[in-house]
């Protein structure tokens, strides 16, 4: 862990035009949370003295998402050098190391940041350390020009490169660690006399070199440096993160029959010996206890599931679902804001919302908690060991006492005392021979009609 003073400046003023979105680019999600939040969490692991963001005009939603970290507005956008300069008010008197990162490059690892800070503090020291990578197609990326001694001489933007420089495969990711005592002095000296008429942050390297300072680079794997500019890039980043999350889960003792079809969220917690079938999706906020089995095609979000539970196939656990140890949630069952207590069973075709299902209670197929009258939501409370007959409609607010039974097909509108039977049912009529007479009559009518 890096204890020397460190700050970070996150550039996020870009409009993200190619996302074709009404939402700022950095708020698009990867594994269930905003890409900016992934980056903020990685940065927070250094316990930096401060993190400041540079955002564009009208990006209050980004500022809200990173609160209480300060956001500086860059308007107009005159280039990456100009963007970092916009963070100056938030960095007043700061003199440690400053990490400059891009909000749309959220997958840089803690280890990579560590390596950059280490290089920055090495002997001989490096005034700036740039994160390099080798993309398959260097295209429009800035090229890192490395001197004979292995130190970094310059970053040359593609548009300014000589044909020889364009052949360089080592590119600028944009991430930098810079000596904070000198950073803003150099930024103030950057001009915009170049192909794009922008203030290039990359010019900082040559300014530092001209001041007799050494600069260096560190390389990181391509997948950490996926920059997200389009929905297609977002999908690639999602795939990278999912692969990582699945590997972590399996390393921690989770079995996945078909890992590629299981989708996890950044915060999914899975216990040992959890077994996950194909095509299971975990939205944010799910925890699953040891030995639990999640059968295929289940969808879980904001739910806590205990140990040795069986969920699915085709189950849906919505926010506020709390399923205790050894309970059973079967096919086509939806649970929302409800606690299913120890060993209770909701095995088939049910909706249980705003409810408690007591320990070892059994909920028959097709049972529905009618929790909403179009205006208010009400609760259903089902006692320990209760037996709810198939196709019961429980009209909330309603309480079913411990050990009570409801008859199949009943509509329960009043509380049922413990150990009672409650049923609403029209008397059964049996008309002997009726069906046979009916068939005979209708068949004759049909025959007559065809003869016409
Ligand atoms: C930049 C680098 C290039 C590098 C590439 C990596 C410069 C001059 N060039 O080029 O060497 O290979 O990134 O992706 O730095 N931003 C602002 N305000 C601005 C301009 C940019 O906040 O005025 C932010 C953007 O939101 C984005 C980042 O800075 O997060 C990079 O900007 P972008 O315009 O994509 O830079 P490139 O031209 O790709
Ligand atoms: Mg770019």
């Amino acid at each position: 862990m890096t204890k020397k003073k460190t700050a970070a400046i996150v550039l996020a003023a870009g409009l993200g035009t190619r996302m074709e979105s009404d939402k700022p680019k950095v708020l698009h999600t990867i594994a269930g949370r905003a890409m900016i939040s992934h980056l903020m969490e990685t940065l927070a692991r250094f316990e930096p003295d401060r993190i400041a963001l540079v955002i564009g005009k009208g990006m209050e939603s980004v500022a809200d998402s990173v609160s209480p970290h300060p956001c500086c507005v860059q308007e107009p956008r005159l280039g990456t050098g100009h963007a970092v300069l916009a963070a100056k008010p938030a960095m007043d008197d700061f003199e440690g190391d400053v990490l400059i990162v891009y909000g749309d490059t959220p997958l840089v690892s803690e280890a990579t940041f560590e390596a950059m800070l280490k290089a920055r503090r090495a002997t001989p020291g490096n005034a700036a350390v740039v994160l390099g990578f080798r993309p398959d197609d260097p295209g429009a990326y800035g090229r890192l020009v490395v001197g004979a001694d292995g130190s970094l001489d310059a970053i040359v933007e593609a548009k300014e490169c000589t044909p020889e420089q364009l052949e360089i495969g080592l590119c600028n990711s944009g991430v930098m660690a810079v000596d904070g005592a000198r950073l803003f002095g150099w930024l103030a000296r950057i001009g915009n006399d170049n192909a794009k008429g922008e203030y290039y942050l990359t010019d900082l390297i040559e300014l530092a070199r001209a001041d007799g300072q050494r600069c260096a680079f560190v390389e990181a794997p391509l997948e950490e440096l996926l920059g997200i500019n389009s929905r297609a890039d977002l999908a690639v980043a999602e795939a990278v993160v999912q692969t990582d999350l699945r590997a972590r889960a399996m390393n921690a003792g989770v079995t996945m029959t078909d890992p590629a079809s299981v989708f996890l969220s950044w915060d999914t917690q899975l216990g040992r010996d959890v077994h996950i079938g194909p095509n299971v999706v975990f939205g944010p906020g799910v925890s699953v206890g040891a030995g639990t089995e999640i059968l295929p095609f289940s969808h879980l979000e904001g739910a806590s599931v205990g140990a040795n539970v069986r969920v699915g196939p085709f189950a849906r656990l919505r926010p506020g679902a709390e399923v205790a140890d050894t309970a059973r949630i079967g096919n086509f069952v939806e649970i929302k804001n409800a606690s299913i207590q120890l060993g209770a069973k909701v095995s088939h075709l049910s909706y249980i919302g705003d409810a408690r299902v007591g320990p070892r209670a059994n909920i028959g197929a097709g049972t529905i908690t009618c929790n909403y009258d179009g205006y208010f939501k009400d609760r259903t409370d089902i006692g320990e060991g209760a037996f709810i007959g198939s196709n019961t409609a429980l009209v909330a607010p309603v309480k079913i006492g411990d050990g009570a039974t409801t008859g199949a097909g009943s509509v329960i509108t009043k509380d049922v005392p413990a150990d009672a039977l409650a049923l609403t049912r029209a008397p059964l009529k049996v008309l002997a021979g009726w069906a046979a007479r009916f068939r005979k009559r209708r068949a004759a009518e049909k025959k007559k009609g065809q003869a016409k």
Side-chain angles (χ1 to χ4, degrees):
M1 198 32 67
T2 312
K3 269 290 146 228
K4 197 170 172 284
K5 286 188 100 182
T6 309
I9 297 175
V10 181
L11 303 190
L15 295 175
T17 321
R18 280 190 281 154
M19 294 297 283
E20 296 292 349
S21 176
D22 292 337
K23 184 159 80 172
K25 174 159 76 173
V26 297
L27 293 185
H28 283 262
T29 58
I30 300 172
R33 79 172 160 182
M35 65 174 99
I36 190 79
S37 307
H38 283 269
L39 185 59
M40 296 299 280
E41 191 208 73
T42 312
L43 292 172
R45 295 208 200 116
F46 294 103
E47 297 175 15
D49 296 275
R50 55 188 101 168
I51 303 179
L53 285 91
V54 178
I55 59 173
K57 219 173 80 179
M59 289 192 187
E60 289 78 16
S61 51
V62 176
D64 289 346
S65 78
V66 299
S67 169
H69 297 290
C71 288
C72 304
V73 175
Q74 183 204 15
E75 172 68 16
R77 298 171 68 244
L78 300 178
T80 49
H82 180 256
V84 180
L85 203 50
K88 194 174 178 212
M91 290 288 149
D92 324 321
D93 47 345
F94 185 78
E95 290 209 338
D97 292 331
V98 178
L99 273 171
I100 298 166
V101 297
Y102 291 177
D104 61 0
T105 308
L107 305 183
V108 182
S109 70
E110 188 184 0
T112 295
F113 287 135
E114 283 285 1
M116 293 179 70
L117 291 170
K118 198 169 153 207
R120 165 67 206 113
R121 293 160 190 174
T123 321
N126 293 297
V129 177
V130 171
L131 186 60
F133 72 127
R134 296 177 189 274
D136 298 335
D137 174 16
Y141 289 111
R143 307 299 202 269
L144 301 193
V145 179
V146 179
D149 64 350
S151 69
L152 182 65
D153 276 350
I155 306 174
V156 186
E157 286 305 284
K159 284 200 169 154
E160 330 283 336
C161 277
T162 62
E164 295 75 43
Q165 286 171 332
L166 279 177
E167 294 300 310
I168 299 172
L170 183 61
C171 292
N172 174 30
S173 69
V175 181
M176 273 189 205
V178 187
D179 175 1
R182 294 190 165 94
L183 172 65
F184 291 102
W186 285 325
L187 289 175
R189 284 160 56 196
I190 290 175
N192 65 350
D193 182 14
N194 53 46
K196 283 182 160 178
E198 285 186 0
Y199 295 87
Y200 290 164
L201 172 62
T202 46
D203 285 354
L204 182 143
I205 303 301
E206 276 175 286
L207 289 172
R209 300 270 297 136
D211 279 358
Q213 298 294 317
R214 204 184 126 92
C215 295
F217 70 94
V218 161
E219 275 190 64
L222 199 52
E223 30 184 61
E224 283 189 26
L225 293 168
L226 289 169
I228 295 159
N229 295 305
S230 63
R231 308 274 179 161
D233 293 341
L234 188 66
V236 172
E238 180 77 41
V240 166
V241 172
Q242 288 298 337
T243 303
D244 181 54
L245 290 171
R246 290 166 192 144
R248 280 172 202 235
M250 290 187 283
N251 287 337
V254 172
T255 294
M256 294 186 187
T257 319
D258 177 22
S261 70
V262 174
F263 290 83
L264 300 162
S265 277
W266 65 279
D267 60 348
T268 306
Q269 290 176 36
L270 304 171
R272 274 167 86 88
D273 293 314
V274 164
H275 193 298
I276 301 171
N279 297 296
V280 173
V281 176
F282 293 89
V286 176
S287 66
V288 178
T292 284
E293 207 179 343
I294 312 284
L295 297 164
F297 297 97
S298 294
H299 188 283
L300 300 85
E301 183 180 10
S304 103
V305 181
N308 301 310
V309 172
R310 203 163 65 220
V311 174
F314 298 98
R316 178 163 186 218
L317 300 186
R318 290 174 52 202
E322 287 176 14
V323 182
D325 296 354
T326 68
R328 297 278 180 266
I329 306 296
N331 44 270
F332 305 105
V333 169
E334 174 180 344
I335 310 280
K336 184 220 66 167
N337 187 32
S339 71
I340 310 301
Q341 297 184 320
L342 187 76
K345 291 183 185 168
V346 190
S347 296
H348 337 262
L349 304 159
S350 285
Y351 170 63
I352 305 294
D354 303 308
R356 172 185 81 103
V357 175
R360 288 168 292 281
N362 187 86
I363 307 296
T367 295
I368 304 291
T369 53
C370 309
N371 61 328
Y372 185 50
D373 63 4
Y375 295 90
F376 297 102
K377 298 247 165 90
D378 286 295
R379 290 193 64 80
T380 300
D381 189 88
I382 298 170
E384 178 167 356
F387 186 94
I388 306 300
S390 295
N391 220 22
T392 297
L394 298 159
V395 183
V398 71
K399 279 191 180 166
I400 310 295
D402 292 351
T405 292
T406 68
S410 296
V411 178
I412 307 295
T413 51
K414 289 190 192 124
D415 291 356
V416 178
D419 297 319
L421 165 69
L423 81 166
T424 60
R425 202 175 274 172
L428 178 69
K429 271 198 232 167
V430 178
L431 305 179
W434 183 92
R437 288 196 299 279
F438 172 81
R439 283 195 300 272
K440 200 173 163 196
R441 174 164 55 86
R442 296 300 273 167
E445 282 167 4
K446 198 168 183 187
K447 210 170 165 188
K448 212 168 136 193
Q450 279 166 354
K452 262 199 246 165

